[in-house]
Amino acid sequence: MEFSNIEESNGIITEEEEKGTEINEIEQRKVRLMRAFVEREDPSVKEVDDLMIRRFLRARELDIEKASTLFLKYLSWRRSIIPNGFISPSEIPNELAQNKLFMQGVDKQNRPIVVVFGARHKPYKGSLEEFKRFVAYTLERICARMPAGQEKFVSIADLEGWGYTNSDIRGYLAALSILQDCFPERLGKLFIVHVPYIFMTAWKVVYPFIDSKTKKKIIFVENKKLRSTMLGDIDESQLPDVYGGKLSLVPIQDD
């Protein structure tokens, strides 16, 4: 018999496992309490799974009151921007035509990989409202394609060729708000690559609006370390070919 089996049969639990079990029990209890509260406010919550409620709780450090406020605000937002339950490509033609966002492969933690090309974003070719719908459409599709048991995705924001005509502070802030407030705890990591110096002007405006949890997930990658950094998180077989990997880019709107 292996030692691991002997330990398990003797009921030995490590301090780390005990702490993890305790945190899990606290989360489960708070999920039940939050569900009871928000269901009284909005009966449609009955259709929502516990994992979603847990994500909102984690986004607010397990504070039930703050998480409930955020969650009810999300439900209201969803009814206004996605009244039919989904966004049709026909509602975002200008955004999709820019061919700027792709999804293919998974990282070493089995998180889907999303690639966005900042220089392909043309704010003057659409409206802010259409862009918001595009962001919602994108995040909905990402979440719908999550592997079983996975809740987060990894993104690569490629800014090669980015210039002032691509700069869209209102759009960036809107996208950030949707990601943080409506899809909390979905972003696992964000690599920002091929960063031109002029981008930092826009970054300084956006940075104060990024919450502390999201800030910890953002990594600026030096050009000379791009491939090695990527391969630390993503196997070559899953890395997009534009970064020396094996996978071709797949537009987000393609099934």
Side-chain angles (χ1 to χ4, degrees):
M1 182 182 289
E2 296 181 2
F3 286 115
S4 59
N5 290 336
I6 292 174
E7 290 179 352
E8 187 177 331
S9 63
N10 288 336
I12 297 173
I13 300 174
T14 66
E15 185 177 338
E16 187 176 328
E17 288 173 331
E18 189 172 4
K19 186 178 179 182
T21 301
E22 185 179 334
I23 291 172
N24 190 43
E25 288 174 353
I26 291 171
E27 283 190 339
Q28 288 178 352
R29 180 171 57 83
K30 293 204 171 192
V31 165
R32 290 194 294 271
L33 290 170
M34 178 172 159
R35 176 179 286 283
F37 174 75
V38 292
E39 279 187 4
R40 285 198 299 270
E41 300 294 319
D42 188 331
S44 71
V45 175
K46 290 183 173 67
E47 301 170 13
V48 172
D49 63 27
D50 285 351
L51 293 177
M52 176 175 279
I53 291 176
R54 188 178 70 176
R55 286 193 295 272
F56 277 81
L57 271 168
R58 287 178 173 177
R60 289 298 179 266
E61 307 294 343
L62 303 186
D63 184 309
I64 294 175
E65 185 177 348
K66 290 180 180 178
S68 297
T69 298
L70 183 65
F71 186 64
L72 292 169
K73 182 181 174 184
Y74 155 73
L75 292 176
S76 176
W77 167 86
R78 185 177 176 82
R79 278 190 285 267
S80 66
I81 200 166
I82 317 176
N84 301 319
F86 67 94
I87 294 173
S88 167
S90 63
E91 297 177 64
I92 48 174
N94 295 303
E95 296 296 330
L96 292 179
Q98 293 167 31
N99 206 35
K100 58 191 170 188
L101 204 142
F102 303 80
M103 181 178 176
Q104 62 294 296
V106 294
D107 75 350
K108 292 177 181 179
Q109 295 183 46
N110 205 34
R111 298 177 295 192
I113 300 166
V114 177
V115 182
V116 57
F117 292 99
R120 297 187 187 182
H121 178 56
K122 306 287 195 302
Y124 51 87
K125 288 193 173 181
S127 66
L128 181 60
E129 289 308 308
E130 183 181 348
F131 180 65
K132 288 179 182 179
R133 287 196 298 273
F134 172 73
V135 173
Y137 167 88
T138 294
L139 288 167
E140 287 275 304
R141 287 183 78 83
I142 292 170
C143 295
R145 296 187 197 174
M146 288 281 181
Q150 185 54 259
E151 295 183 70
K152 299 179 185 289
F153 69 94
V154 171
S155 183
I156 301 169
D158 194 324
L159 301 179
E160 187 167 19
W162 185 94
Y164 286 124
T165 57
N166 309 115
S167 184
D168 183 12
I169 301 299
R170 289 195 309 158
Y172 298 156
L173 292 176
L176 181 65
S177 175
I178 293 171
L179 175 67
Q180 293 183 159
D181 298 341
C182 302
F183 294 84
E185 294 298 301
R186 283 299 199 178
L187 178 67
K189 186 177 283 190
L190 169 61
F191 296 99
I192 303 182
V193 306
H194 297 140
V195 184
Y197 182 73
I198 56 171
F199 174 74
M200 301 315 294
T201 306
W203 181 250
K204 287 175 183 176
V205 177
V206 174
Y207 189 76
F209 295 91
I210 305 174
D211 67 37
S212 57
K213 282 196 166 192
T214 304
K215 284 176 180 174
K216 293 174 184 176
K217 301 171 183 177
I218 300 172
I219 299 172
F220 280 85
V221 184
E222 294 179 52
N223 289 351
K224 61 183 179 182
K225 296 181 180 178
L226 196 155
R227 182 171 164 78
S228 61
T229 301
M230 294 289 183
L231 289 175
D233 282 69
I234 304 168
D235 190 81
E236 187 178 13
S237 66
Q238 299 295 304
L239 188 66
D241 53 12
V242 291
Y243 305 115
K246 304 293 185 183
L247 287 189
S248 298
L249 292 171
V250 180
I252 189 71
Q253 63 268 30
D254 290 1
D255 292 324

